[in-house]
Amino acid sequence: MTKLFFRGFLLGSAMLMPQVAHADWNQNNDEANRQRAMNDMRATQAANDRRSNDAAMARQRDVDRSSASGPSSGSRAGDSSSSSGGSAVYNGGGSTNSGPQSVVATYYVTETNEQVVARLIKQAEQGDRDSQYKVGIFYYNGVGIGRDDARARHWFGEAARQGHAISAGQYGYMLHYGKGGPVDDAQALVFTRQAALQGDVFGQSMYALFALMIDYQTGARQDMTEAVGFAVKAADAGDATAQALLGTTVYFFGATGVSPDNPKALKYLEMAVAQDNAMAMQQLGKWYYFGWDGVTRDEIRGAQLIEQAAALGDASAMTQLGKFYLTGIGGVGQDDAKGVDLIKRAAELNDAEAMATLALIYLNGMAGQQKNEAEALRLVKASAEYGDSAGMSLYAAVLYDGLVTPKDMPKAIAYAGRAAEAGDGDAQVLMGKIYYFGDGVEKDIVQATRWFKRAADQGHAEGVAIMQEPDIAAAARTL
C-alpha cells in the first residue's frame, strides 16, 4: 500500500459529500450522532429555552390579583407550579393580554407604572419573596422599568433562596446560560433541581436538560434516571423542550441508566413538533428522511421537517439543508450559493458540524468559494474542540499532513482516535494508516487492520478498498 499524502485525503472527503447525509445516519455512528445532537442543543437551545420560558411564564397564573394591595397571605405563591396552573404572572384583571407584559396592566387604573414598580421594589427589599419574583419579572421583560438581566437575576435569586419554585427555575436557567452574570453550572443544577422537586414544570425541564448536557460534556456518565424522570413529568405536562430532549438524546440514543426506546422517542418528537420545536423537527426530519427504525422512510416529509426547522433557526437543520443544496438531494435541487449560506449561518451559531463542513469547503475551494486555509483551520479546530466527530477527523488529518499547520502527531492521534471511536469512517482509516506506517506510534499492521476493517464494515469506500490489499487481507484472517 502506498503512503498517501493527506491533501488527497481531504479532497476525497470533500468528494464524498453527496453521500455524507446518508453515511452519517447509520447504526454504526450512534456516538457521533449523539455528539451532534448535544452540540445542536448547545448551539440553539438557549434561544429555544428563552422562548419556552417566556411561554411558560405567560401560562402561569397562581398569584391572585389581590397583591395590588400588598403581599399575599395564606398559601404562598410560587411554592409549586405547572403549565396548567400556577404562577406570579398576572392575567391583566380580565384583559385579553396574558403573560409578563400584563403585570403592569393589572394596576394601571389605580397606580402608574412607576408607582407599581417602586412599591414592589420596596416590598422586595423588605424581603417579600413574591415581590422579589415580580420585580424579577419586570426587569426580565423590561416592562415599565427597562430590561436588565443582571437585576432580574438578582431578584429571582433572592426569591429562589426563600424557596420560590418558579424563581428557582428561572434563576437556574440564567445561571446556566450566563444571563445577567457569569455562568455557574453547579448552582444552575442546584436551583433547577430545587424547582423541579417543588413541581415547577420549567424547572423540571431545565434541570433535565442541564444535567444531561453537563454530564455528557464532562464525560462523567452518571446515572440520569432522576433527570429523565423530571423530563418525562415536564414533557407530559406539555413542555416542548422536555419533549424534544426525550425524543433526541434520551430515548433516541439512550442516556446513562436509560435504554434507547424508539417508540417513546417518536412519541415525544411528534409532541414537540406539534408545538413547533425546531430541534425536534430536525431530528424527526432526519429520522424520516434516512428511514431509521420505527418509521417508514419518507424523504418528502423528512426534508420538509428539516426545512421548517432551518427556517425556525435550528443550526443542525441549517447544516443538513445546506448539504442538501450542495449535493442536490432532499428534493431542493443543487444550489451552491444557498447551501454555503445556510452552512455559514449554522457555523455562526457555533454548530460544530457546520464548522467542519465549511472548513472542508474552504480547504478545497469548493462550492464556488475561494480557498481560505487560515479560516478553514480556525473552523475545523473549533469544531474539533466542540467534539464533533467529523471536525475531529478533519482536524486530525490537517495536523497529520502538516501542510496547513505544523505537523503534530500527538494531537493528530488523539483527535483521530476520539473520532474513530465515535464511528467516523475517515478517522478510522486515518488511524489505520497511522498504525500501518508507524507514524507517531509503533508500527502495528494488526492494529491497522482492525481500524481499516471497522471503516470497511460500515461501508467506507476507502476502507473497503484497503481491505483488499494482500497484506491487510492476510492480517485480517488472523483477527
Side-chain angles (χ1 to χ4, degrees):
M1 183 169 66
T2 303
K3 183 170 182 177
L4 301 175
F5 287 106
F6 276 77
R7 181 70 64 176
F9 171 84
L10 298 179
L11 287 169
S13 296
M15 293 169 65
L16 288 174
M17 285 186 70
Q19 288 79 42
V20 164
H22 294 274
D24 283 351
W25 288 88
N26 64 65
Q27 297 287 355
N28 293 315
N29 283 335
D30 274 358
E31 183 62 22
N33 293 322
R34 186 183 292 109
Q35 288 175 351
R36 286 177 179 157
M38 298 304 295
N39 286 332
D40 184 47
M41 281 189 189
R42 180 162 43 201
T44 63
Q45 198 61 46
N48 291 338
D49 294 343
R50 177 61 186 270
R51 289 193 294 270
S52 297
N53 181 59
D54 287 345
M57 293 176 79
R59 290 196 302 266
Q60 297 167 335
R61 298 179 177 88
D62 70 357
V63 175
D64 66 342
R65 294 187 296 274
S66 65
S67 46
S69 60
S72 58
S73 60
S75 62
R76 303 186 71 185
D79 286 332
S80 65
S81 64
S82 72
S83 60
S84 60
S87 134
V89 181
Y90 292 60
N91 196 24
S95 165
T96 55
N97 295 329
S98 66
Q101 290 78 1
S102 62
V103 178
V104 175
T106 304
Y107 302 104
Y108 78 96
V109 175
T110 58
E111 295 180 284
T112 66
N113 291 350
E114 292 76 11
Q115 288 172 329
V116 172
V117 171
R119 176 172 54 76
L120 287 174
I121 288 176
K122 182 178 180 180
Q123 292 170 350
E125 290 173 342
Q126 292 172 344
D128 180 69
R129 72 173 191 174
D130 294 337
S131 296
Q132 291 167 344
Y133 167 64
K134 294 168 197 172
V135 172
I137 291 176
F138 278 121
Y139 280 119
Y140 180 72
N141 291 284
V143 178
I145 198 171
R147 174 72 182 268
D148 190 326
D149 278 353
R151 286 189 169 92
R153 173 166 157 160
H154 166 76
W155 287 114
F156 285 133
E158 290 295 304
R161 281 183 278 273
Q162 293 198 67
H164 193 278
I166 304 167
S167 292
Q170 175 66 10
Y171 184 52
Y173 161 74
M174 299 184 83
L175 288 168
H176 180 83
Y177 287 112
K179 303 283 187 181
V183 170
D184 189 334
D185 284 338
Q187 286 299 296
L189 286 175
V190 168
F191 282 99
T192 52
R193 186 172 185 272
Q194 171 186 318
L197 289 169
Q198 290 178 265
D200 179 64
V201 169
F202 181 71
Q204 292 169 339
S205 175
M206 291 300 98
Y207 175 73
L209 175 64
F210 300 161
L212 284 160
M213 287 180 68
I214 293 168
D215 183 71
Y216 192 79
Q217 290 164 11
T218 61
R221 299 297 189 271
Q222 296 178 348
D223 192 310
M224 289 289 106
T225 304
E226 180 187 55
V228 172
F230 283 133
V232 169
K233 289 181 180 180
D236 290 346
D239 185 274
T241 298
Q243 292 163 353
L245 180 65
L246 291 173
T248 53
T249 57
V250 175
Y251 290 129
F252 188 73
F253 297 116
T256 309
V258 181
S259 299
D261 189 322
N262 282 353
K264 285 184 179 179
L266 281 169
K267 166 191 166 183
Y268 284 113
L269 284 175
E270 293 283 9
M271 290 168 68
V273 166
Q275 298 195 62
D276 293 329
N277 181 277
M279 188 174 72
M281 282 181 182
Q282 66 86 10
Q283 177 72 5
L284 188 61
K286 289 176 179 177
W287 203 331
Y288 274 105
Y289 188 87
F290 302 121
W292 272 50
D293 292 344
V295 301
T296 300
R297 186 170 183 176
D298 187 338
E299 292 187 3
I300 294 176
R301 189 187 181 204
Q304 287 174 341
L305 285 167
I306 291 168
E307 193 164 5
Q308 290 170 17
L312 288 172
D314 182 85
S316 182
M318 289 180 191
T319 302
Q320 188 64 66
L321 185 59
K323 288 183 177 182
F324 284 168
Y325 277 113
L326 288 175
T327 60
I329 63 176
V332 298
Q334 187 166 358
D335 189 323
D336 285 348
K338 285 185 178 179
V340 172
D341 179 65
L342 282 162
I343 290 169
K344 283 182 177 179
R345 287 165 55 195
E348 288 170 357
L349 291 170
N350 294 324
D351 181 75
E353 185 181 2
M355 290 176 180
T357 304
L358 191 56
L360 192 61
I361 289 170
Y362 285 146
L363 279 170
N364 294 284
M366 298 170 57
Q369 304 300 301
Q370 294 292 321
K371 283 189 177 183
N372 187 339
E373 292 183 344
E375 181 63 3
L377 181 61
R378 182 191 71 81
L379 287 165
V380 73
K381 184 174 185 289
S383 176
E385 289 174 346
Y386 271 126
D388 182 73
S389 59
M392 291 189 293
S393 176
L394 184 56
Y395 190 44
V398 168
L399 291 167
Y400 182 90
D401 74 12
L403 297 178
V404 176
T405 190
K407 189 178 181 83
D408 188 330
M409 284 308 302
K411 282 187 179 179
I413 293 168
Y415 278 112
R418 287 173 59 192
E421 289 292 356
D424 185 273
D426 286 339
Q428 289 166 348
V429 168
L430 176 53
M431 286 298 293
K433 291 178 178 180
I434 287 171
Y435 277 102
Y436 184 88
F437 296 114
D439 286 323
V441 298
E442 185 176 349
K443 181 179 174 70
D444 187 336
I445 192 171
V446 174
Q447 183 66 2
T449 302
R450 289 193 180 98
W451 283 117
F452 291 139
K453 186 176 186 302
R454 286 181 65 173
D457 285 347
Q458 59 174 311
H460 189 279
E462 189 176 6
V464 171
I466 290 173
M467 288 301 296
Q468 306 307 310
E469 294 283 341
D471 55 346
I472 298 299
R477 290 192 288 271
T478 69
L479 297 179

